Amino acid sequence: MLPYTSLLEAETTLGRNLTLAETLWFNYSATKSDYFLYCHNILFLFLIFSLAPVPYVFIEIKRLYPFDPYKIQPKVRLSLQEMLNCYKDVLITFFLVVGPLQLVSYPSIQMIGIRTGLPLPSVWEVVAQLVVYFLIEDYTNYWLHRFLHMNRWGYENIHKVHHEYEAPIGFAAPYAHWAEILLLGIPSFLGPAIVPGHLITFWLWIALRQIEAIDTHKGYDFPWAITKLIPFYGGADHHDYHHYVGGQSQSNFASVFTYCDYIYGTDKGYRYQKKILKKLKEDLANVVEQNGGSYKKFD
């Protein structure tokens, strides 16, 4: 709850007029407890994992052009019922594990110093902190994820649940064993713990991390995606290979970027496959060119 009884008192304390964003934040949060504000995460997570995958479900079912040709594993098609079953399982885990965890984890947010008051952080401060959060999460997630594959017990009893979908779909992003949700939640918390910021930044971090997870599990690699502009961003193609290889996968462990897999040599199979596919496409293009621009099927 903000320690001001009015906008005038807030402006007097800060020694300046409030920005539009700060005025909106004051009007919304002034009479609400910090705990209530923190619990908004539950609503945000629910809406994101419920709504963000829907466009990809529609594309998958209708096989819409021009999107369908970019499906990474075109031979694997899930029915609407199968995808809804996945969502139902995720929903159960959400209400039994994720939601209660959010409700009881507020003391840790207080401890690390996430603030709710004024002034609000600048745009550049928010962006800089989000970049740090993504880098910290990506690096620590890489090693925990890799451990779950290298440790036979960990894979068979925990991580194998997530790999039930060899061709990922958006709804499968949070589909995992409850123990994995707890374990891989640690990297998401480390960034804000090391570089604490405002609650709004924390909200954005949780939302963007979930959206990114859905993006890497959507099963489509669109060449026009804005994420193609992000340096070292792995995306759906990078993570889809990890699911395609399955339980034997020793490749592409990183959650967001590709540099860890490259540095530690855990993307060799993926890069080899990309090299072979590129060579096949070049050979096919040469065949088409030699046949006057038309493709002829040879028996």
Side-chain angles (χ1 to χ4, degrees), residues 165-210:
Y165 290 90
E166 295 180 0
I169 57 173
F171 280 134
Y175 179 84
H177 191 282
W178 65 266
E180 178 170 346
I181 292 174
L182 296 178
L183 180 64
L184 295 185
I186 296 173
S188 295
F189 184 75
L190 277 180
I194 296 173
V195 188
H198 198 276
L199 182 63
I200 291 178
T201 308
F202 187 78
W203 284 351
L204 283 172
W205 160 239
I206 297 299
L208 288 174
R209 180 63 185 91
Q210 184 66 22

Side-chain angles (χ1 to χ4, degrees), residues 115 121-136 191-192 195-198 201-202 205:
R115 64 186 184 88
S122 68
V123 172
W124 290 114
E125 180 182 343
V126 172
V127 171
Q129 288 180 329
L130 289 175
V131 170
V132 171
Y133 295 172
F134 269 109
L135 291 174
I136 292 174
V195 188
H198 198 276
T201 308
F202 187 78
W205 160 239

Side-chain angles (χ1 to χ4, degrees), residues 133-143 145-146 184 187-188 205 209 212-217 232-236 238-239 242 252-261:
Y133 295 172
F134 269 109
L135 291 174
I136 292 174
E137 193 280 339
D138 185 68
Y139 188 80
T140 50
N141 184 289
Y142 170 88
W143 287 106
H145 186 192
R146 185 172 176 178
L184 295 185
S188 295
W205 160 239
R209 180 63 185 91
E212 183 277 328
I214 292 170
D215 178 69
T216 57
H217 286 83
F232 306 109
Y233 183 75
H238 186 265
H239 192 67
H242 177 80
N252 296 16
F253 296 114
S255 60
V256 184
F257 303 108
T258 60
Y259 67 91
C260 279
D261 284 302

Side-chain angles (χ1 to χ4, degrees), residues 138 141-143 145-146 149 159 163 216-217 234-246 248-262 264-274:
D138 185 68
N141 184 289
Y142 170 88
W143 287 106
H145 186 192
R146 185 172 176 178
H149 275 268
H159 191 52
H163 273 271
T216 57
H217 286 83
D237 185 62
H238 186 265
H239 192 67
D240 201 284
Y241 178 81
H242 177 80
H243 277 261
Y244 173 75
V245 177
Q248 303 302 316
S249 179
Q250 295 298 318
S251 183
N252 296 16
F253 296 114
S255 60
V256 184
F257 303 108
T258 60
Y259 67 91
C260 279
D261 284 302
Y262 182 80
Y264 299 113
T266 50
D267 66 346
K268 293 179 180 179
Y270 171 72
R271 285 189 284 134
Y272 177 76
Q273 184 201 56
K274 299 294 290 185

